[in-house]
Amino acid sequence: MSQTLMAFLAMMIAALAAINQYTSQMQAYDEAYRTEFELMANALVVEQLEVIDMTTDWDDLEDWDGDEIDAEFEVHNGDIEFTLAISVQFVDDDGTPSESETSNKEVAIQATSDRYTVALVTLTRVISE
Amino acid sequence: MQFLLDHIASILVSGAVLLLVIATNLNAQRAAIEETVAYAAKVQTLNLADFLEDDLLLVGDGTDDTIETIETNDDGQTTEFSFWREDEMGVDMLVSYTLEEGDVVDVDGEKVQLYRLFRTEDDAAAGGGSSTLQAFSITMLDESGSTTGSVESARLLRVRAINVYGMGDADDMDLFRSYWGITVRPPALDS
């Protein structure tokens, strides 16, 4: 009886070690995968910030506030889709959000993907009058 | 033989445990190698990215001309991109990036063409790029972010690259693809 229990215990320990190893391997894969998505999202956000900066008068920056844009990053076998959420707010000279109007507006773009519940990248740029 | 029959249960149990332990150990080793390869690919990609970003921001820096050549092949790869900038002595210099075909690797029966990126300054080699690129492209964008073929209307440069690393034996290889992209706004293209 005790031998059977010892054998069962040995198999349990070996199985737990295997499960633990596979779990940590999957977590490592997930992390590597996520960093790839973050890099792609970063590229799209930077490009959108540049376009907003170039094409929009300072007075009209608020027009972008609340906009959501679908953007695609081309990969070797198709496109990966991201959603870029744009917000615009006044900030003071230190970059602190301000309730009153100032001469600085902060444009923030947050990139999300359907594959992840948490935002991948958020970049901001302060544009002065 | 009698000994084996007497201890068949314990032999089966110890064999199963041993197999599990060996399989787990081999898998852990493989995972560690894969993580190292992935990390190396990522570091190499980001190093190339840093260099390219800094270099492309200097397009037309201190010179009358900006982008000299931009050529793309049928696969959408940028095979040549050259631009003018000042060197450290204040003299105009032509910087060129050329993409040349390198090794072809076989991955699961699929032939994957790899490319090497060369960089020259006035036709003299000046820093090489990655030799494990699967894709590389530089696209000119106008003010609205749309693709343009005109240097005069170009305001942004969109760069995309895929760096690949092989893992495993030659006849059973997996490819790790590291994607990178950036859009830069060289100040000289605004004027």
Side-chain angles (χ1 to χ4, degrees):
Chain A
M1 181 65 181
S2 63
Q3 285 175 334
T4 308
L5 281 174
M6 287 295 283
F8 183 70
L9 185 66
M11 292 188 75
M12 282 291 289
I13 290 171
L16 282 173
I19 291 168
N20 189 43
Q21 196 277 323
Y22 279 112
T23 306
S24 64
Q25 190 178 343
M26 289 307 297
Q27 285 173 342
Y29 282 151
D30 281 348
E31 285 301 315
Y33 206 59
R34 186 185 163 89
T35 60
E36 292 297 317
F37 271 72
E38 287 174 352
L39 275 181
M40 289 185 258
N42 186 69
L44 297 172
V45 170
V46 168
E47 186 172 310
Q48 189 59 44
L49 271 175
E50 294 290 5
V51 169
I52 291 173
D53 195 1
M54 280 195 303
T55 57
T56 314
D57 286 338
W58 187 85
D59 290 335
D60 300 329
L61 282 173
E62 290 91 334
D63 295 347
W64 289 96
D65 190 42
D67 278 9
E68 286 198 352
I69 298 171
D70 292 329
E72 294 172 343
F73 191 100
E74 289 177 29
V75 294
H76 76 287
N77 56 356
D79 294 331
I80 295 181
E81 294 182 355
F82 296 88
T83 302
L84 309 182
I86 304 169
S87 62
V88 182
Q89 63 179 343
F90 285 103
V91 294
D92 61 21
D93 290 339
D94 298 327
T96 308
S98 170
E99 292 294 327
S100 57
E101 292 191 5
T102 67
S103 58
N104 305 308
K105 290 176 183 173
E106 181 190 74
V107 180
I109 303 182
Q110 187 179 70
T112 54
S113 165
D114 290 342
R115 296 172 192 239
Y116 296 98
T117 51
V118 181
L120 294 163
V121 170
T122 303
L123 294 182
T124 61
R125 177 175 294 182
V126 174
I127 301 173
S128 299
E129 188 174 12
Chain B
M1 190 63 185
Q2 189 61 44
F3 175 83
L4 288 176
L5 288 173
D6 287 347
H7 298 85
I8 188 73
S10 57
I11 289 170
L12 284 175
V13 169
S14 57
V17 171
L18 210 61
L19 274 176
L20 257 177
V21 170
I22 290 170
T24 304
N25 188 259
L26 287 175
N27 208 41
Q29 286 176 0
R30 180 183 160 84
I33 292 169
E34 285 179 352
E35 282 176 37
T36 307
V37 167
Y39 178 73
K42 182 61 69 184
V43 169
Q44 191 190 41
T45 305
L46 292 178
N47 285 341
L48 174 68
D50 279 347
F51 185 82
L52 271 173
E53 191 174 349
D54 291 344
D55 209 20
L56 293 178
L57 277 171
L58 295 175
V59 167
D61 180 47
T63 58
D64 293 333
D65 295 319
T66 55
I67 297 167
E68 179 75 11
T69 314
I70 181 163
E71 289 181 5
T72 306
N73 66 13
D74 294 339
D75 296 331
Q77 318 268 25
T78 300
T79 52
E80 184 178 0
F81 179 81
S82 60
F83 62 92
W84 292 96
R85 53 166 280 202
E86 269 186 352
D87 65 11
E88 290 165 359
M89 308 295 289
V91 180
D92 288 6
M93 172 175 74
L94 185 67
V95 177
S96 297
Y97 284 94
T98 51
L99 194 69
E100 296 186 8
E101 290 186 353
D103 296 335
V104 177
V105 293
D106 194 333
V107 182
D108 288 337
E110 178 195 355
K111 303 281 186 197
V112 178
Q113 174 70 58
L114 300 183
Y115 297 89
R116 178 162 189 183
L117 189 64
F118 289 94
R119 181 181 183 275
T120 59
E121 292 178 355
D122 286 335
D123 292 330
S130 170
S131 59
T132 54
L133 289 171
Q134 189 189 353
F136 177 77
S137 67
I138 297 178
T139 311
M140 296 188 294
L141 306 179
D142 64 15
E143 200 173 62
S144 66
S146 302
T147 305
T148 178
S150 160
V151 173
E152 286 71 30
S153 62
R155 296 291 176 271
L156 302 169
L157 295 173
R158 177 195 285 160
V159 190
R160 294 285 186 267
I162 305 175
N163 198 22
V164 298
Y165 259 68
M167 290 185 294
D169 302 328
D171 56 349
D172 184 24
M173 185 182 280
D174 293 322
L175 269 192
F176 177 85
R177 291 183 172 88
S178 180
Y179 294 92
W180 173 76
I182 195 70
T183 300
V184 295
R185 185 179 167 191
L189 291 184
D190 272 341
S191 54

